[in-house]
Amino acid sequence: MFLNSVFNKSLLLFGLFLITMSVYAQFEWQARDAFDEIKIKYDKVNGDNCPIQHVSDLYLPEDTVSHKPDIKEININPIFPNRTALLHMHNMAMSRSFFWSYILQSRFIRPAINDTYDPGMMYYFLSTVADVSANPSINASAVYFAPNSSYTSSYRGFFNKTFPRFGPRTFRSDDFNDPIHLQKISTWNTFDVRDLGAHPPESRSKDYTSELYKINEWYKTWLPDDVEGRHDTKTTYQVEIRYVNNTNETYTFHGPPGADEHPGPIKWTRPYFDCGRSNKWLISAVVPIADIYPRHTQFRHIEYPKYTAIAVLEMDFERIDINQCPKGEGNIGPNHFADTARCKKETTECEPLDGWGFRRGGYQCRCRPGFRLPNVVRRPYLGEIIERASAEQYYNGYDCLKIGWIQKVPIEWERAPYYVREKYLDLHPEYRNASAGASSLHTEFLNIDQALKFIHGVNYRTCKNFHPQDLVLRGDVSFGVEAQFENEAKMAVRLANFISAFLQVSDPNEVYSGKRVADKPLTEDQMIGETLAIVLGDTKVWSAATLWERNKFTNRTYFAPYAYKTELNTRKFKVEDLARLNKTHEMYTEKKFFKFLKQRWSTNFDDLETFYIKLQIRQNETGEYLQRYEHYPTLYRAANLKHGHWTQPQFDCDGYVKKWLVTYAAPFFGWDSLKVKLEFKGVVAVSMDMLQLDINQCPDWYYEANAFKNTDKCDQKTSYCVPIMGRGYETGGYKCECLQGYEYPFEDLITYYDGQLVEAEFQNLVEDKKTRYDMFKCRLAGASALQVSLFLILSLLGFLFMLKYKLR
């Protein structure tokens, strides 16, 4: 028994040794690279040891996040799919900066009284909460004021006085073990809200303006703003406002730098460890907030615009995709992880994928021009599979095969023979006697060229020539709008979330001890500023509206600020109060999306999201320490992205923005007059230009509502269609990739047929012009490499002689 026991233990230890050695040997072919260095530094710091770490260990190199969205590139070059979350954080930071700059200076619109028009503390707190609650990719939002620059209306007798420090910040906390959730399910809907400006005066390490506050690189990007020389150095923006009583006002305010200025409005920080706060690796977008400072001096020559605060929005570093591909045309750098992919450069090339975050394998290895996949491989090699491969698998696989005989691209083209032309027209019968104009969208087989010709032909000059029904398109014409305009829809959800939170959490009649007073109800200027900030912050939004239900806004029967722009890349915007239009058919409450959402949310609110707020505020004006808000924790209920409503594309010939607009509307809610139950209070709507969408012509499932599916011109026997982003509302936004077992036959820098070229040549075929459309086919793989051996020839001759002899 003893010998058997010893033998079994020895066998077990030997087995564990073999397993351990095989695991280590599996990756021994992979040399240490830049990713490993960053991963070691990433794992080194945690919430327990970060206070004693050197400040350099709390930051990662700046180039660890590549391809940061640049405002100078937006609307010019397409944004990569793996950067849409960063782009939204960029736009959200812009929007917040524009709003705070507008509202802090809007007191000049109103008569001078012995009071301040500034929002109260609760407005700041709930605004940062809405930034995070409506955007799952954004994990923290804050507004940091420079010392003695924050005026407030939250304290009695505090006119023309400032807080020493004021920094309202919200970050998303993990509520897995929170007592609120007995199910022990993490909802990510619990927010820790604090005023980081409240701390003991002698504790400099808690002062976000101090050098001892290790992680305040975001503060140093714009503050303190030491203006030298001229005082009119801040960019101005102009708003033309028309109120409900038909009075007009042109208001000019100072804001962040423009897109045409250097370095622009947004500054990105290095990834940093948020020590003592969320204890995560974050990256932030920082935008300055402008104000006239100092105030109420009665001496205009010493009141000048300066940056008094910053808006900081933060995102988890581990959720940002890295690009492991070598530097090239689409990856020019700086990129710390460049050339760490495991693709075999002799036969394959690297292409990044989205959705992988900070981990290896977010790429695929495609065949280089002149090479093809083996017949047993269907798609490009996935980077995740290659990274996990053993040395034997790696060195004996993941290669592409060389194409034997490559054809030259023909120089001279000819008209297609009659039978060839008829064959392709039979495959696409919609090109025979095609309908034109608005009727092209109502045929059994859609002719995409005629449909787009009609859509592009409608503009502010020609729209009067069409019947109003023709200016409302089918919903499937805007297929993909939910994904491609998701960021813009989140802008509406964010404002709807904020209004819901303010109406449910802030009570203007509440009485506090001491000098603190409750926030006043929402004002017209605040709603105008919030609506305008959406249009200013996101260039794809052409108009935004906050439509209040009848008698739901303070002291107003109807109230509906509508902000819009008439041209792209402008600093002049307009605001209309739609309550001014009081005819029955013009009332905003009669709009289809308003009536739809009002009916949907008239009685049942069970499906709404519940958001929990753990709020800690300063105990007095000077803020020596934090204390819990009187209602701790508190909650509110609001809509998320799926609770909104997308409209059909429509050209409003009588509207303010004469474009093909598609609108997203999100509802907001508040307490009824008895504070017993929720009720529908109104809608936030944003409208985008449909022609900025990318068309998808590739085949799709029968249940997908896409008017343009199956309209590609790829050869279905030898190739398949793959959509290409960034081509816009035009034909040809795809490529024809060769099917498994086929190869691209031409000597070219690409390995596919470009959809724009295919569409152009097919149009030549339809018009009976010179064309090469019949050549856009893939060749049977390996057919060109067959070689006839001497043995095969002799065997064939012998067989023929034998056959001839037997037949005699």
Side-chain angles (χ1 to χ4, degrees):
M1 289 291 291
F2 175 74
L3 291 176
N4 287 340
S5 177
V6 171
F7 177 76
N8 289 336
K9 289 182 178 178
S10 302
L11 189 63
L12 179 62
L13 290 173
F14 182 69
L16 291 173
F17 173 77
L18 287 179
I19 293 173
T20 306
M21 291 303 294
S22 66
V23 169
Y24 280 120
Q26 181 179 356
F27 300 99
E28 65 182 3
W29 60 275
Q30 298 179 356
R32 179 169 170 172
D33 56 17
F35 180 87
D36 297 310
E37 296 172 1
I38 299 300
K39 192 70 169 67
I40 292 172
K41 194 169 183 178
Y42 180 90
D43 295 332
K44 176 184 176 182
V45 186
N46 55 50
D48 296 326
N49 63 20
C50 70
I52 60 173
Q53 295 284 352
H54 190 271
V55 64
S56 61
D57 294 329
L58 299 179
Y59 289 92
L60 298 179
E62 188 172 0
D63 58 356
T64 50
V65 178
S66 61
H67 304 85
K68 299 185 185 78
D70 186 357
I71 194 170
K72 295 176 174 57
E73 297 290 326
I74 298 174
N75 295 322
I76 298 176
N77 295 323
I79 300 295
F80 293 129
N82 60 5
R83 286 298 179 265
T84 51
L86 272 180
L87 174 64
H88 182 54
M89 188 168 75
H90 171 284
N91 294 339
M92 278 294 303
M94 289 265 296
S95 174
R96 293 297 81 214
S97 171
F98 278 116
F99 169 73
W100 293 118
S101 298
Y102 175 88
I103 203 64
L104 291 177
Q105 301 169 57
S106 65
R107 67 185 182 280
F108 292 113
I109 305 178
R110 304 301 172 200
I113 59 175
N114 191 21
D115 196 359
T116 175
Y117 293 103
D118 288 320
M121 287 194 299
M122 189 60 68
Y123 196 105
Y124 283 94
F125 290 130
L126 296 180
S127 177
T128 58
V129 169
D131 296 342
V132 183
S133 66
N135 303 292
S137 60
I138 296 176
N139 289 308
S141 174
V143 178
Y144 298 98
F145 279 87
N148 298 307
S149 298
S150 171
Y151 297 87
T152 183
S153 59
S154 293
Y155 286 94
R156 194 178 293 109
F158 207 66
F159 173 73
N160 206 21
K161 294 181 181 180
T162 56
F163 286 148
R165 305 285 187 277
F166 186 47
R169 181 176 187 262
T170 296
F171 69 87
R172 192 189 309 272
S173 59
D174 187 357
D175 54 4
F176 176 77
N177 286 318
D178 200 292
I180 298 174
H181 305 292
L182 300 178
Q183 304 94 335
K184 297 296 182 183
I185 298 175
S186 183
T187 66
W188 294 102
N189 283 346
T190 301
F191 308 106
D192 192 299
V193 188
R194 300 182 184 182
D195 180 1
L196 298 182
H199 59 82
E202 66 277 2
S203 180
R204 293 190 60 200
S205 62
K206 294 184 178 180
D207 181 2
Y208 58 78
T209 68
S210 170
E211 292 290 338
L212 300 179
Y213 201 88
K214 295 182 180 179
I215 54 171
N216 63 349
E217 187 176 271
W218 29 262
Y219 180 82
K220 302 170 186 175
T221 54
W222 295 103
L223 298 177
D225 182 23
D226 297 323
V227 180
E228 297 180 1
R230 294 171 60 95
H231 287 172
D232 55 347
T233 57
K234 300 299 180 280
T235 309
T236 58
Y237 300 85
Q238 181 178 300
V239 186
E240 297 179 11
I241 306 175
R242 176 180 280 185
Y243 296 100
V244 66
N245 57 1
N246 278 322
T247 58
N248 299 329
E249 183 167 20
T250 301
Y251 174 56
T252 302
F253 69 99
H254 301 272
D260 56 336
E261 299 181 55
H262 185 78
I266 295 286
K267 286 187 180 180
W268 299 90
T269 65
R270 294 179 293 170
Y272 58 92
F273 191 83
D274 196 34
C275 184
R277 308 198 299 181
S278 60
N279 291 324
K280 293 181 178 181
W281 285 96
L282 303 176
I283 181 175
S284 59
V286 189
V287 193
I289 297 170
D291 192 9
I292 306 295
Y293 186 86
R295 294 189 185 177
H296 309 293
T297 64
Q298 298 181 358
F299 298 100
R300 289 296 181 199
H301 64 283
I302 64 172
E303 294 182 6
Y304 58 91
K306 65 179 297 186
Y307 297 142
T308 59
I310 51 172
V312 182
L313 275 83
E314 297 159 305
M315 180 179 179
D316 279 359
F317 171 73
E318 66 179 1
R319 300 183 65 178
I320 300 175
D321 293 340
I322 61 174
N323 190 342
Q324 294 184 251
C325 297
K327 289 187 177 181
E329 197 67 32
N331 184 21
I332 58 177
N335 181 3
H336 197 84
F337 304 106
D339 208 13
T340 59
R342 310 291 186 186
C343 295
K344 295 188 174 180
K345 297 181 180 179
E346 298 80 11
T347 63
T348 63
E349 56 189 8
C350 178
E351 180 181 350
L353 302 175
D354 60 283
W356 292 80
F358 178 60
R359 60 190 180 105
R360 289 186 181 275
Y363 60 90
Q364 63 181 10
C365 302
R366 305 179 54 83
C367 292
R368 292 170 59 89
F371 294 86
R372 64 171 176 84
L373 287 170
N375 289 344
V376 295
V377 180
R378 186 179 181 186
R379 292 289 187 268
Y381 302 113
L382 282 178
E384 184 190 26
I385 305 299
I386 298 176
E387 297 279 355
R388 291 160 52 186
S390 64
E392 180 182 1
Q393 290 173 322
Y394 179 75
Y395 290 114
N396 294 328
Y398 310 116
D399 273 309
C400 289
L401 305 178
K402 189 172 181 60
I403 296 176
W405 176 61
I406 300 178
Q407 300 174 227
K408 291 284 187 180
V409 178
I411 299 176
E412 293 189 6
W413 310 332
E414 297 178 352
R415 290 172 58 185
Y418 173 78
Y419 66 91
V420 172
R421 184 169 179 270
E422 290 298 311
K423 178 182 73 171
Y424 289 115
L425 289 178
D426 286 343
L427 291 175
H428 300 277
E430 64 272 15
Y431 284 87
R432 297 184 187 271
N433 301 322
S435 300
S439 60
S440 60
L441 289 166
H442 305 285
T443 56
E444 182 179 0
F445 299 102
L446 181 73
N447 185 320
I448 185 172
D449 293 296
Q450 291 296 331
L452 292 184
K453 185 178 179 181
F454 159 69
I455 292 174
H456 287 292
V458 180
N459 53 50
Y460 70 95
R461 296 189 187 93
T462 62
C463 62
K464 294 290 185 181
N465 301 330
F466 296 93
H467 192 278
Q469 290 182 351
D470 296 334
L471 299 181
V472 180
L473 302 181
R474 299 158 35 181
D476 57 357
V477 172
S478 59
F479 173 78
V481 65
E482 294 89 348
Q484 297 182 45
F485 286 154
E486 181 181 0
N487 287 350
E488 288 67 36
K490 286 178 180 177
M491 287 284 194
V493 175
R494 184 258 157 212
L495 180 51
N497 262 249
F498 166 72
I499 299 176
S500 297
F502 195 90
L503 295 179
Q504 296 173 44
V505 175
S506 178
D507 185 0
N509 299 318
E510 192 159 6
V511 179
Y512 301 105
S513 61
K515 296 181 180 179
R516 186 156 62 95
V517 295
D519 277 30
K520 297 176 182 177
L522 295 172
T523 66
E524 290 186 18
D525 287 336
Q526 291 168 355
M527 291 296 95
I528 289 174
E530 291 280 8
T531 310
L532 178 65
I534 296 178
V535 183
L536 284 158
D538 195 321
T539 56
K540 285 189 176 180
V541 177
W542 281 85
S543 69
T546 304
L547 312 177
W548 287 77
E549 172 64 328
R550 177 184 170 91
N551 291 326
K552 300 305 180 185
F553 190 76
T554 308
N555 299 327
R556 289 286 301 274
T557 305
Y558 291 103
F559 181 53
Y562 175 84
Y564 66 100
K565 60 187 177 186
T566 55
E567 59 182 3
L568 202 60
N569 302 325
T570 181
R571 292 182 185 173
K572 295 182 179 181
F573 301 86
K574 298 183 179 182
V575 175
E576 293 264 354
D577 189 347
L578 297 184
R580 183 178 59 83
L581 309 175
N582 53 14
K583 295 181 181 179
T584 304
H585 68 282
E586 292 179 342
M587 284 300 299
Y588 63 85
T589 53
E590 296 299 313
K591 291 183 180 291
K592 287 185 178 180
F593 64 82
F594 190 95
K595 295 170 70 175
F596 173 83
L597 289 173
K598 180 180 178 181
Q599 182 181 9
R600 163 65 181 87
W601 299 102
S602 59
T603 54
N604 191 347
F605 306 100
D606 293 343
D607 196 36
L608 292 177
E609 290 268 5
T610 303
F611 300 99
Y612 297 90
I613 304 174
K614 295 183 176 181
L615 176 59
Q616 299 184 50
I617 63 175
R618 58 181 60 220
Q619 99 289 358
N620 61 10
E621 304 94 318
T622 54
E624 280 75 19
Y625 61 88
L626 287 173
Q627 67 179 16
R628 290 184 173 181
Y629 179 58
E630 280 74 4
H631 307 281
Y632 183 95
T634 186
L635 59 88
Y636 71 94
R637 308 192 70 191
N640 58 27
L641 193 63
K642 70 177 183 180
H643 295 144
H645 175 64
W646 289 95
T647 66
Q648 296 173 254
Q650 182 175 357
F651 196 100
D652 189 357
C653 206
D654 298 322
Y656 300 106
V657 182
K658 293 177 172 55
K659 292 180 177 292
W660 285 108
L661 296 180
V662 57
T663 301
Y664 173 83
F668 55 86
F669 309 91
W671 297 115
D672 62 3
S673 57
L674 300 177
K675 295 196 69 173
V676 174
K677 63 182 182 67
L678 292 179
E679 66 178 5
F680 172 82
K681 293 288 187 180
V683 164
V684 178
V686 291
S687 298
M688 289 70 67
D689 184 4
M690 183 190 69
L691 301 186
Q692 289 184 298
L693 287 174
D694 290 328
I695 288 179
N696 187 347
Q697 294 181 246
C698 295
D700 209 338
W701 296 103
Y702 67 91
Y703 52 79
E704 289 291 352
N706 180 6
F708 302 124
K709 65 183 177 185
N710 294 316
T711 59
D712 66 286
K713 308 304 186 298
C714 295
D715 181 59
Q716 296 182 359
K717 293 183 179 179
T718 63
S719 63
Y720 64 96
C721 176
V722 179
I724 296 178
M725 294 188 64
R727 296 288 177 89
Y729 212 77
E730 300 283 352
T731 58
Y734 61 90
K735 57 183 177 180
C736 302
E737 293 272 10
C738 293
L739 285 168
Q740 183 180 4
Y742 291 87
E743 62 189 16
Y744 185 76
F746 294 108
E747 183 182 22
D748 206 344
L749 296 177
I750 55 177
T751 58
Y752 57 85
Y753 297 107
D754 192 288
Q756 289 181 334
L757 184 61
V758 173
E759 292 283 345
E761 294 301 325
F762 182 81
Q763 198 62 35
N764 289 338
L765 179 82
V766 172
E767 298 172 4
D768 201 13
K769 298 179 180 179
K770 292 183 177 181
T771 182
R772 50 176 171 163
Y773 176 74
D774 195 41
M775 301 182 62
F776 293 153
K777 300 176 182 178
C778 292
R779 186 176 62 194
L780 193 65
S784 61
L786 292 178
Q787 297 179 355
V788 183
S789 64
L790 179 63
F791 175 76
L792 184 62
I793 294 176
L794 294 176
S795 300
L796 182 61
L797 290 175
F799 175 74
L800 291 175
F801 278 121
M802 187 184 300
L803 187 64
K804 182 178 180 183
Y805 177 77
K806 286 187 175 182
L807 291 176
R808 283 183 175 179

